[in-house]
């Protein structure tokens, strides 16, 4: 009987680990993306970009520890990530920042679903923070941050890129 009782816990831990790894990968991509945002954003929003960058670096570092605590090896950052669209100027940088936050919110919604206890609370807090930053960048909100994007048509993800320009 004890062996059966352990199986769901092992499965739940594996699901939490997969979701934490996905969130870590999204944070790596967000840190990279905010580097692009910071290079293109106007002076009027540079402090906001720096705050977002710092927040994602902190979440990335926390998630690396979480992955290790769950028995995994944290996924490494790629040398470069494909951006969902060209970012030639400040308005495009603002759109990119909002898109990064939407994508991060989506993976944190998955982590909320896959986890329990303190990890679930941390994931819910990260989801909330990403949703608030997305609203600030976008100038408006969505009803269910992290979930509405799932119903939208698929767009290219912030995935590792082997392109020569690194973007």
């Amino acid at each position: 009987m004890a062996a059966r009782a352990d199986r769901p816990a092992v499965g739940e831990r594996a699901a939490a680990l997969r979701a934490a790894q996905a969130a870590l990968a999204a944070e790596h991509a967000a840190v990279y993306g905010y580097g692009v945002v910071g290079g293109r954003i106007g002076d009027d929003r540079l402090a906001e970009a720096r705050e977002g960058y710092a927040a994602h670096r902190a979440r990335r570092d926390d998630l690396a520890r979480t992955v290790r605590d769950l028995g995994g090896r944290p996924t490494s950052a790629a040398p470069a990530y494909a951006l969902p669209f060209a970012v030639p100027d400040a308005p495009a940088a603002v759109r990119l920042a909002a898109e990064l936050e939407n994508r991060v919110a989506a993976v944190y919604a998955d982590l909320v679903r896959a986890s329990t206890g303190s990890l679930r609370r941390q994931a819910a807090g990260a989801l909330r923070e990403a949703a608030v930053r997305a609203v600030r960048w976008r100038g408006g909100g969505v009803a269910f941050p992290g979930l509405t994007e799932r119903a939208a048509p698929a767009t290219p993800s912030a995935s590792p890129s082997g392109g020569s320009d690194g973007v």
Side-chain angles (χ1 to χ4, degrees):
M1 242 354 181
R4 284 185 184 199
D6 290 343
R7 282 190 207 143
V10 169
E12 289 170 9
R13 187 177 186 94
L17 176 58
R18 281 190 303 276
Q21 287 280 33
L24 177 57
E27 289 292 8
H28 284 311
V31 167
Y32 178 88
Y34 264 95
V36 174
V37 169
R40 307 284 194 307
I41 200 75
D43 289 342
D44 59 326
R45 298 194 79 178
L46 186 56
E48 190 175 355
R50 285 181 178 149
E51 289 170 12
Y53 178 76
H56 287 292
R57 284 184 57 180
R59 287 286 180 189
R60 176 200 63 194
D61 295 346
D62 288 345
L63 279 166
R65 283 187 291 278
T66 297
V67 166
R68 282 191 293 275
D69 291 347
L70 290 170
R73 182 172 175 238
T75 187
S76 299
Y81 291 84
L83 298 177
F85 49 83
V87 186
D89 54 22
V94 169
R95 286 193 316 276
L96 177 59
E99 179 66 18
L100 293 170
E101 297 300 345
N102 286 339
R103 291 175 184 210
V104 167
V107 295
Y108 278 115
D110 292 342
L111 185 54
V112 167
R113 183 182 60 222
S115 60
T116 60
S118 65
L119 180 53
R120 177 177 268 177
R121 283 188 298 279
Q122 291 168 0
L127 169 57
R128 181 186 63 246
E129 290 170 11
V132 168
R133 281 190 300 271
V135 166
R136 287 182 182 146
W137 286 114
R138 194 174 39 251
V142 295
F144 298 103
L147 300 178
T148 56
E149 295 80 12
R150 302 286 191 204
T155 59
S157 66
S159 57
S161 169
S164 61
D165 64 358
V167 183

